[in-house]
Amino acid sequence: MQTGLADIFGLIIGFLLTLMVLSYIIGDNFLFRLAMAIFVGVASGYAAVLVIYNVLWYQLIVPLLTNPTANLALTIPSALLGIWLLTKGSSRLARFGNPVLAFLVGVGAATAVGGAIFGTILPQFNASTNLLNLQYASPDGAGLVSWFIKGLVILVGTLVTLAYFHFGVRSQGEGSLPQRHPLIENFLAPAGQAFIAVTFGVLFAGVYAAALGALIDRVRFVLDIILRFL
Amino acid sequence: MKTIFSLINVVIAIAAGALVFLGYVFPDLLGGMRAILLQWAIILAAFALLVGILNLMQAHWRKVTTKQPKAVYSLVVLASLVATLLVTALSGPAGKWSLWIYNNLQVPIEISLLAVLAIVLAYAAARLMRRRMTWYTGMFLVTVLLVLLSTAPLYLIGEVSLLNSLHSLIVDILAVAGARGLLLGVALGTIAAGLRVLMGADRPYGG
Amino acid sequence: MTDILCPVCGKPNPPEAETCQFCQAPLKTSAFTPDFDEESDLPDWLRSLNADQNAFPVTSPAEEPSNVPDWLSSIGGETKEKEQPPSEAPAEPAQEQPDWLTDLTKDQPVEPLSADLPVWLSEQAPAPATPLSDEKQDWTDGWTSGEQAAEQQAEGEPSPSVPAFTFDAFEEPEKPTASESESGDMEGPLSTLPDWVADVTAEESEAEGGEDEAALAPAQLPSWLEAMRPAESDQPSTPTEDLSGASAESSGPLIGLRGVLSAEPINIRMRRAAAYSLKLRVTDEQKQRVALLEQLLADEPKPKALPAAPVITAQYVFRLLIALALLLPVIWAVASNGRLTPLPDASARPGVMAMYNLVERLPADAPVLVAFDYEAGYSGEMDAAASAVLEHLLGRGASLALVSTSATGPALAERFMANLNQQPERVNNPYTNYANLGYIPGGSIGLYSLAKSPRQSLPYDLQGVDVWASGPLSSVNGIADFSLVLVLVSDPETARAWVEQVGPTLRQDGAVLAMVASAQTAPLVQPYFSGNPRQVEALISGLAGGGAYENASASNGPARRVWDAYSLGLVVSVFVILVGTALDVTYKALLPGKKGK
Amino acid sequence: MSALLDAYGNILGLLLALLCLGLIILFVATGRNKPGRNLREIPAFQRFRREVGLAVESGKRLHISLGHGGINEIPAGSALVGLTMLDRCARAASISDRPPVATSGDPLLAILSQDTLRGTYHDLNAERLYDPSSGRLSGLTPLSFTAGAIPVIHDEQISANILAGHFGGEVALLTEAGERSGSLTVGGSDNITAQAVLYASAQEPLIGEELYAGGAYLGAGSIHAASLRMQDILRWLLIALILIGALFKLFTGGG
């Protein structure tokens, strides 16, 4: 019974919190702020315990306690660097933690560059060059023309979108304002901007559909609770 | 004296970055070193989380002690944070009471925030033409309406094949082209930002 | 022992010297020797300090006692100027400034600080701020030159050269009464002066005294000193009295003088020191003016309160209308719980059919890795989208391993499984053939290590049990040993990380990566499904995909329960956005004067 | 071609990185890139610079949100650009009655934002004005970070919000709070879903890679302008190679 009670109590709290958050639609108010404060505390607390449990406990402390000699290259240096990083917790000692931060920023920058090159540029380059690759046309040749047009449109769309962002400008002759090359300014950029507008429209509709799913879920939850307790 | 320390920080950042990047390029030779450095980074990120939690609590505690306006909310943040830390630490991440807090406090609030997002997005779309009336915002709006209509069968009417073919034309062709161009552009920007750090030009770490 | 000051040139000489080592003037004129030897009881560090002070009486302006009369502080004033640090070398010229900044700074002329300050303050006004000298000062020039000036104001304390704004500066130095000056005793305002002042005045009085002692043998002055001797006209014309027999003064500033006027030192000294009240004589009007000035100074750093924005605006009403127009139909559709709208056709969605066939082909008790990589906020949509697939997997007897790259993912997975077990057919026979392996930290880096070695990356489950030793996962060594890797994802970056970090390893060994993506992520995962080669073997997009899968697997899941509300909601949204745009543009057109905000 | 990429992809990646590095160094060395002089005008940055001046004069505050992307993950690039823009904002608005405030959703990013602000005030000889709570961690999950940033926008007399970092679709809640409190919102992200939402809801959206040009447009030094020139060169190189590659595979049947 005791668990049943906790579940019912939980449902009531969830119901109240849902209404408190939805009240933001009417305007910024005390109830919404209270719900946000509870949410920031709960979410941060839960995420903190999860990370401490899964990372610090399982990947650092347990290996150190159970088998200190194994994996020395991982446990000892990261423990020392970690304790060193804790100096960032006090504004007086913060300066001493800069070397560890420099290490993390260096690793982050390399991960970003590596991810961009090996995770985006090379795969997208390969996929773009395969758009007109007959190997990937349908084996029975049906719809070859539509496949080709589709590939061509995607190829052109990709290139004009990329061209739109050109930053450099140069004065195009005596006394004229610095501008991008006429080919870019008058043809590629407008076409690129059109593709971008359509792409953003699709992505925006996707976010909206996901949010609508959440709205319907909350409406159903509130009605269920009302019907259940009435 | 200060310049020596900043020089050391810059050297550390460049050395660590170069080793990790070369680990991508020569996985056989430096893959192991890259994995270790990345593992250090994961564990250090966890230590940073401890500092982050301390930072969060300090900021809200200072608001309470200095009696700034609306400090009551900071008090609620601190209370809910400490309570969650205690309950989750004692009963474990998958413990009954941890899941109770998660399912009955965090999940309802997060879903409700996304529900509010639906109203906010509809309002933003309705005001877009007033804020920026151009051909492109017009195309954007038409695309949004067409994709929403073709996401699911129409109410009472059901599937409309014209809408489905429009949906696949827009989503499978035009959006894929635009998305690929955007991703390539973002990748170029990311490379530039990362290289500036690896060259020691940008030094956000107090170098 | 204290050096003896030469009565003629004032330079210090060793105590045992008879004549001055600089100007050979006789030293032993029975000079003043202090009643007690102050030095003996001073600590060493103070003695060394004291000796220095006597020799080079330097008083930094800041320590100057505030009750010093003006004539003395003006001397101090000069020393202050001398001590004024030389203004820094002009910094290198600022880098060329972008156009937009010069327009920005052109509108704010920087008035010279000292334009209308009182004279005594303007002399002390800080030198104009020098711009930053490093290579980054460009569009912020306008700000930095203002900054340093403002910084000094913001500091509140006057720059060192500006004397502290104290009332003493206005005080009239009290003129010593006639008797005190004659008595030469130090009872008057100079009585509280530090020793070095006493030495200065002693030198002067000796110089004056010099004339009375004409009887002293004239010193053979060197020619250069003779040239400096004041002209004859300065010599007092009246004959001086012969005081060689009179007794010399033994203390105070007139030490060494003979025949000081007849007052008796002892009974003068006995009288109680006159109390000089430091009470200010300030009129009421001055008090008000000072209070006003203090109020101004106190208000300057405090940020000004800003006017509160009005609550009810046209935007507010417009927002409420849109909210009502959206919420009412959805509430009605959910409350009516109708089944008026058919679920989407799975055959029209290749990704859904591919997923269905994949699950159908799985062997019994196949190990399946399920990643819960969506935020709790999306669980309203993702529960409906993924329930049908997982129901199908459970129906096929698959054994699930649950992971997540999001910190709250493991809890989300537990919640999802609890909801599955609340279905009518499982209330009495809950499904427990799964292991929750918890959270993979480090985002894409964590996925890279998971792809390399799942066992090392996730050694224990959430209960701390080593699930790899026994049970359904004992046959899994590498990630490719899973029959299916199913990722439930709401963020495009996370989906891309799975494709790039885990995909290659799976493809090498013929394993399969499939995704259930939120509607916001599906357009960006679509290319991985429809591209060549196919990097994602099957894809379900949002709630619509979930509905199509329920249609294919003929199951009555959460998608079906909300399907009417969802499709009505989409249609109403289109209507609301269209009408809203028309109303908003018309409203703006009708009010041309008002700037559209 | 695909086999070529699979076999030598790593080397090609290294060459690409070295090429980018070389181009940046070349453009910095030759100095032909006067900051802010030969770049196309981006309305968002233009309006943002004006808003900074208005914020200082009206005694309001700037809010820079750095998103919730981790510094040691792929979104690190946008986080680094966000920190550069934070430095520029802090320099420009350091004499305001209310100095700028930075919110972020990642602990490392919060520490870096505090270090950036401290370094900026140190450069301006105004280390006393630095307040540690101006670099805040507002929440540890994407939505709790957003929930923690909304009260900052409503309560702290914000005149302009700069969203520069990794966001999700929930970024619209921040632009909504900005609109309700009457403050300008300039926003960009590396996540194109968030860009789509910002395109509709922010007054001045930064689309595509415009976010990464923030350093150059706010005068963060000649190396940022040199980076943009490198990006332009790489852009056309990629366009040419994709065209050549596609035609090559079309005529050689996949090669």
Side-chain angles (χ1 to χ4, degrees):
Chain A
M1 185 50 203
Q2 195 265 346
T3 321
L5 198 65
D7 282 346
I8 291 168
F9 185 57
L11 284 176
I12 293 170
I13 287 184
F15 174 76
L16 293 176
L17 288 173
T18 298
L19 294 182
M20 287 161 77
V21 174
L22 292 180
S23 67
Y24 187 62
I25 295 171
I26 299 167
D28 184 21
N29 59 77
F30 164 73
L31 294 176
F32 172 75
R33 290 302 189 89
L34 194 59
M36 288 303 104
I38 294 171
F39 174 47
V40 169
V42 166
S44 307
Y46 189 79
V49 171
L50 246 297
V51 169
I52 293 164
Y53 187 82
N54 278 284
V55 179
L56 294 186
W57 180 252
Y58 270 118
Q59 301 204 12
L60 186 61
I61 297 167
V62 167
L64 274 176
L65 297 177
T66 53
N67 190 351
T69 55
N71 226 339
L72 271 182
L74 170 64
T75 50
I76 300 294
S78 46
L80 295 178
L81 288 174
I83 292 162
W84 189 355
L85 184 62
L86 293 180
T87 54
K88 283 288 176 184
S90 124
S91 49
R92 258 179 316 101
L93 306 173
R95 271 178 302 107
F96 301 112
N98 284 351
V100 186
L101 219 53
F103 165 76
L104 285 168
V105 169
V107 167
T111 307
V113 173
I117 292 176
F118 299 103
T120 302
I121 288 192
L122 294 186
Q124 296 290 344
F125 173 81
N126 192 33
S128 301
T129 52
N130 277 332
L131 286 167
L132 304 180
N133 187 347
L134 291 171
Q135 260 185 20
Y136 295 112
S138 53
D140 55 12
L144 199 59
V145 173
S146 68
W147 166 80
F148 181 78
I149 292 170
K150 176 181 174 184
L152 194 62
V153 167
I154 294 178
L155 182 63
V156 168
T158 302
L159 300 184
V160 293
T161 304
L162 193 52
Y164 163 76
F165 292 105
H166 184 83
F167 291 102
V169 290
R170 194 174 291 122
S171 58
Q172 310 292 333
E174 215 38 54
S176 72
L177 271 175
Q179 233 189 354
R180 294 189 285 188
H181 191 278
L183 172 67
I184 301 174
E185 202 62 45
N186 305 326
F187 298 101
L188 300 182
Q193 212 169 348
F195 270 96
I196 290 169
V198 169
T199 306
F200 280 169
V202 169
L203 296 175
F204 181 89
V207 176
Y208 184 82
L212 184 63
L215 180 65
I216 291 168
D217 177 83
R218 282 302 92 185
V219 167
R220 187 171 62 82
F221 173 75
V222 167
L223 293 180
D224 280 355
I225 298 288
I226 292 172
L227 295 177
R228 182 168 176 164
F229 286 103
L230 284 189
Chain B
M1 188 58 180
K2 185 173 184 327
T3 47
I4 295 173
F5 282 125
S6 16
L7 195 61
I8 291 170
N9 293 340
V10 172
V11 168
I12 290 173
I14 293 174
L19 277 176
V20 168
F21 181 74
L22 293 175
Y24 271 104
V25 178
F26 308 110
D28 311 330
L29 200 64
L30 292 171
M33 165 64 77
R34 171 174 174 248
I36 286 177
L37 292 182
L38 293 180
Q39 208 59 33
W40 287 4
I42 290 173
I43 292 176
L44 289 179
F47 275 98
L49 186 124
L50 299 181
V51 175
I53 286 283
L54 191 68
N55 174 288
L56 187 70
M57 294 171 94
Q58 274 172 348
H60 285 286
W61 181 249
R62 185 177 302 120
K63 253 191 166 177
V64 172
T65 48
T66 54
K67 296 185 175 51
Q68 290 179 26
K70 307 194 179 180
V72 64
Y73 300 124
S74 295
L75 212 55
V76 172
V77 170
L78 290 172
S80 55
L81 177 61
V82 170
T84 308
L85 282 174
L86 290 178
V87 169
T88 317
L90 294 177
S91 93
K96 182 178 67 179
W97 295 111
S98 309
L99 291 181
W100 186 89
I101 288 179
Y102 182 77
N103 291 332
N104 295 301
L105 275 92
Q106 182 162 343
V107 171
I109 292 178
E110 288 211 11
I111 301 178
S112 307
L113 270 177
L114 272 181
V116 169
L117 185 64
I119 311 287
V120 164
L121 292 177
Y123 172 73
R127 284 181 55 85
L128 179 59
M129 290 308 286
R130 170 188 180 137
R131 187 179 294 135
R132 279 199 312 274
M133 189 177 284
T134 64
W135 284 108
Y136 304 111
T137 44
M139 290 172 82
F140 170 85
L141 214 51
V142 167
T143 306
V144 168
L145 301 181
L146 283 178
V147 171
L148 285 180
L149 279 179
S150 55
T151 295
L154 291 183
Y155 185 65
L156 303 181
I157 300 168
E159 301 266 11
V160 176
S161 58
L162 172 65
L163 282 178
N164 285 346
S165 47
L166 263 179
H167 184 93
S168 62
L169 164 68
I170 293 171
V171 174
D172 294 346
I173 299 175
L174 302 181
V176 166
R180 195 166 279 166
L182 287 165
L183 287 174
L184 285 171
V186 165
L188 290 180
T190 303
I191 292 171
L195 286 181
R196 282 196 297 267
V197 170
L198 295 182
M199 294 165 69
D202 279 356
R203 300 182 293 277
Y205 40 80
Chain C
M1 268 305 290
T2 325
D3 288 349
I4 298 177
L5 300 181
C6 164
V8 175
C9 63
K11 290 197 172 67
N13 292 280
E16 60 281 357
E18 293 298 322
T19 60
C20 173
Q21 57 190 6
F22 298 101
C23 62
Q24 282 67 39
L27 293 177
K28 298 285 184 210
T29 55
S30 60
F32 161 70
T33 48
D35 295 347
F36 51 87
D37 183 353
E38 296 165 24
E39 307 290 326
S40 60
D41 53 8
L42 288 184
D44 295 343
W45 61 270
L46 189 58
R47 186 173 305 115
S48 60
L49 183 70
N50 206 348
D52 299 348
Q53 236 176 6
N54 288 346
F56 306 100
V58 175
T59 312
S60 73
E63 293 147 20
E64 195 165 310
S66 60
N67 52 6
V68 176
D70 281 348
W71 62 268
L72 189 61
S73 63
S74 62
I75 298 173
E78 280 140 34
T79 49
K80 272 183 243 168
E81 267 127 36
K82 262 192 241 102
E83 281 159 20
Q84 189 88 32
S87 68
E88 285 144 40
E92 330 141 25
Q95 218 178 10
E96 284 143 36
Q97 205 161 282
D99 314 334
W100 62 269
L101 179 65
T102 38
D103 315 338
L104 205 66
T105 46
K106 217 175 287 165
D107 324 334
Q108 298 145 354
V110 181
E111 294 124 23
L113 255 182
S114 53
D116 49 6
L117 289 179
V119 173
W120 60 274
L121 184 62
S122 60
E123 281 154 23
Q124 314 300 339
T130 45
L132 275 178
S133 58
D134 68 350
E135 57 123 11
K136 287 193 177 156
Q137 40 94 221
D138 30 42
W139 73 290
T140 57
D141 286 358
W143 308 109
T144 47
S145 58
E147 277 161 36
Q148 285 174 343
E151 175 204 326
Q152 275 156 354
Q153 273 160 2
E155 278 169 25
E157 325 119 5
S159 63
S161 58
V162 175
F165 183 77
T166 55
F167 300 123
D168 301 315
F170 290 95
E171 184 195 2
E172 283 301 317
E174 293 209 357
K175 287 194 176 51
T177 53
S179 60
E180 280 148 15
S181 60
E182 276 146 25
S183 71
D185 196 291
M186 291 309 301
E187 288 311 316
L190 295 183
S191 63
T192 57
L193 295 181
D195 303 344
W196 68 271
V197 172
D199 302 342
V200 169
T201 47
E203 279 155 29
E204 279 158 18
S205 57
E206 270 161 18
E208 284 148 22
E211 285 135 17
D212 306 342
E213 293 171 4
L216 282 178
Q220 286 74 26
L221 298 180
S223 57
W224 59 271
L225 194 55
E226 195 55 41
M228 285 170 59
R229 175 194 280 275
E232 279 311 308
S233 62
D234 299 344
Q235 294 299 330
S237 55
T238 57
T240 56
E241 188 186 334
D242 176 12
L243 303 171
S244 55
S247 67
E249 278 309 302
S250 62
S251 71
L254 304 179
I255 52 172
L257 289 182
R258 212 185 288 283
V260 173
L261 297 181
S262 60
E264 266 306 310
I266 295 163
N267 51 26
I268 291 176
R269 193 171 290 149
M270 289 308 291
R271 209 181 59 226
R272 212 166 55 73
Y276 285 89
S277 90
L278 288 175
K279 198 171 155 321
L280 205 61
R281 284 204 300 279
V282 177
T283 62
D284 289 345
E285 193 206 346
Q286 283 172 338
K287 271 204 187 100
Q288 283 162 9
R289 245 187 258 136
V290 166
L292 182 66
L293 195 56
E294 273 187 351
Q295 179 65 22
L296 280 177
L297 284 178
D299 285 352
E300 178 54 28
K302 220 178 288 150
K304 291 178 283 304
L306 296 160
V311 180
I312 307 294
T313 60
Q315 287 169 26
Y316 180 76
V317 173
F318 188 49
R319 184 184 289 117
L320 276 191
L321 288 177
I322 285 182
L324 284 177
L326 260 180
L327 273 172
L328 294 182
V330 166
I331 291 171
W332 174 77
V334 171
S336 64
N337 203 7
R339 296 284 197 274
L340 306 177
T341 311
L343 286 172
D345 177 13
S347 57
R349 296 164 190 272
V352 173
M353 284 316 297
M355 182 72 82
Y356 184 80
N357 297 330
L358 258 180
V359 176
E360 278 293 309
R361 288 200 306 264
L362 281 181
D365 213 16
V368 173
L369 182 68
V370 183
F372 285 78
D373 271 355
Y374 58 91
E375 290 299 323
Y378 292 89
S379 48
E381 178 202 23
M382 293 300 287
D383 288 356
S387 289
V389 179
L390 280 150
E391 287 273 359
H392 197 185
L393 280 171
L394 267 54
R396 301 284 305 158
S399 54
L400 305 183
L402 314 180
V403 293
S404 173
T405 61
S406 148
T408 54
L412 214 53
E414 288 295 330
R415 176 177 181 274
F416 192 97
M417 300 310 289
N419 286 343
L420 280 186
N421 283 330
Q422 278 171 11
Q423 300 304 319
E425 65 272 18
R426 264 188 221 90
V427 172
N428 307 319
N429 169 25
Y431 173 82
T432 56
N433 185 14
Y434 70 89
N436 192 336
L437 301 180
Y439 161 58
I440 310 167
S444 57
I445 305 168
L447 288 178
Y448 179 78
S449 61
L450 176 74
K452 285 287 167 262
S453 156
R455 290 183 174 232
Q456 197 197 342
S457 174
L458 296 162
Y460 309 97
D461 74 356
L462 278 188
Q463 271 74 31
V465 173
D466 178 358
V467 291
W468 306 97
S470 62
L473 295 183
S474 55
S475 62
V476 174
N477 293 301
I479 197 158
D481 296 336
F482 284 105
S483 309
L484 168 65
V485 174
L486 178 65
V487 181
L488 315 182
V489 63
S490 66
D491 175 52
E493 296 298 326
T494 310
R496 191 156 66 95
W498 276 93
V499 170
E500 285 159 8
Q501 306 295 336
V502 177
T505 313
L506 293 177
R507 275 200 305 282
Q508 273 163 17
D509 306 337
V512 173
L513 176 64
M515 285 195 179
V516 177
S518 155
Q520 76 164 12
T521 304
L524 294 175
V525 177
Q526 183 71 30
Y528 295 121
F529 170 70
S530 53
N532 292 309
R534 186 171 280 189
Q535 293 168 288
V536 172
E537 294 297 331
L539 172 61
I540 291 181
S541 308
L543 206 145
Y549 199 93
E550 281 184 14
N551 199 2
S553 59
S555 62
N556 183 17
R560 174 66 263 180
R561 279 201 298 275
V562 295
W563 189 249
D564 269 24
Y566 188 67
S567 61
L568 175 63
L570 288 173
V571 172
V572 166
S573 304
V574 169
F575 177 76
V576 162
I577 292 173
L578 264 182
V579 171
T581 301
L583 280 179
D584 204 31
V585 168
T586 318
Y587 178 77
K588 177 181 177 184
L590 290 179
L591 301 170
K594 217 162 151 199
K595 188 163 161 306
K597 220 177 159 301
Chain D
M1 172 78 86
S2 304
L4 184 77
L5 269 183
D6 289 345
Y8 301 105
N10 294 346
I11 302 299
L12 284 176
L14 178 63
L15 293 180
L16 178 60
L18 294 178
L19 174 65
C20 295
L21 201 59
L23 284 173
I24 292 179
I25 293 170
L26 173 70
F27 288 134
V28 169
T30 55
R32 275 178 293 118
N33 38 60
K34 296 289 174 293
R37 185 157 305 288
N38 61 348
L39 301 175
R40 68 181 165 98
E41 200 42 71
I42 295 182
F45 288 124
Q46 204 174 20
R47 187 159 172 203
F48 162 65
R49 286 192 298 259
R50 195 165 58 83
E51 197 62 37
V52 168
L54 294 176
V56 173
E57 278 164 26
S58 62
K60 288 187 149 189
R61 191 189 292 264
L62 290 178
H63 166 228
I64 298 99
S65 187
L66 301 171
H68 51 79
I71 202 71
N72 52 16
E73 290 165 23
I74 291 194
S78 60
L80 294 170
V81 173
L83 290 169
T84 301
M85 290 173 78
L86 171 63
D87 170 69
R88 302 311 298 169
C89 290
R91 259 168 220 278
S94 58
I95 58 167
S96 167
D97 280 355
R98 295 178 171 88
V101 61
T103 56
S104 50
D106 177 75
L108 271 175
L109 213 43
I111 295 172
L112 283 169
S113 66
Q114 288 174 357
D115 277 3
T116 301
L117 287 171
R118 180 186 297 117
T120 304
Y121 283 114
H122 179 74
D123 290 352
L124 299 176
N125 298 321
E127 205 144 352
R128 257 179 325 78
L129 294 181
Y130 165 65
D131 167 15
S133 73
S134 50
R136 296 177 200 169
L137 175 70
S138 62
L140 278 173
T141 65
L143 271 168
S144 67
F145 147 73
T146 308
I150 289 175
V152 172
I153 296 174
H154 274 295
D155 296 346
E156 305 206 8
Q157 272 88 33
I158 301 291
S159 94
N161 303 283
I162 295 89
L163 313 178
H166 181 75
F167 297 91
E170 74 283 347
V171 72
L173 294 172
L174 296 181
T175 52
E176 171 72 6
E179 175 146 357
R180 289 188 186 200
S181 63
S183 51
L184 167 75
T185 301
V186 175
S189 172
D190 63 320
N191 178 1
I192 56 177
T193 305
Q195 285 183 29
V197 170
L198 288 167
Y199 184 81
S201 58
Q203 283 107 339
E204 293 295 347
L206 292 168
I207 57 178
E209 56 189 276
E210 287 174 355
L211 168 69
Y212 293 88
Y217 277 80
L218 300 181
S222 56
I223 193 158
H224 287 263
S227 305
L228 283 194
R229 287 186 66 82
M230 175 278 286
Q231 282 174 235
D232 281 346
I233 302 284
L234 252 300
R235 175 191 326 285
W236 293 102
L237 186 62
L238 261 179
I239 289 173
L241 288 176
I242 288 175
L243 265 182
I244 294 165
L247 296 177
F248 174 79
K249 288 190 178 179
L250 174 63
F251 296 118
T252 62

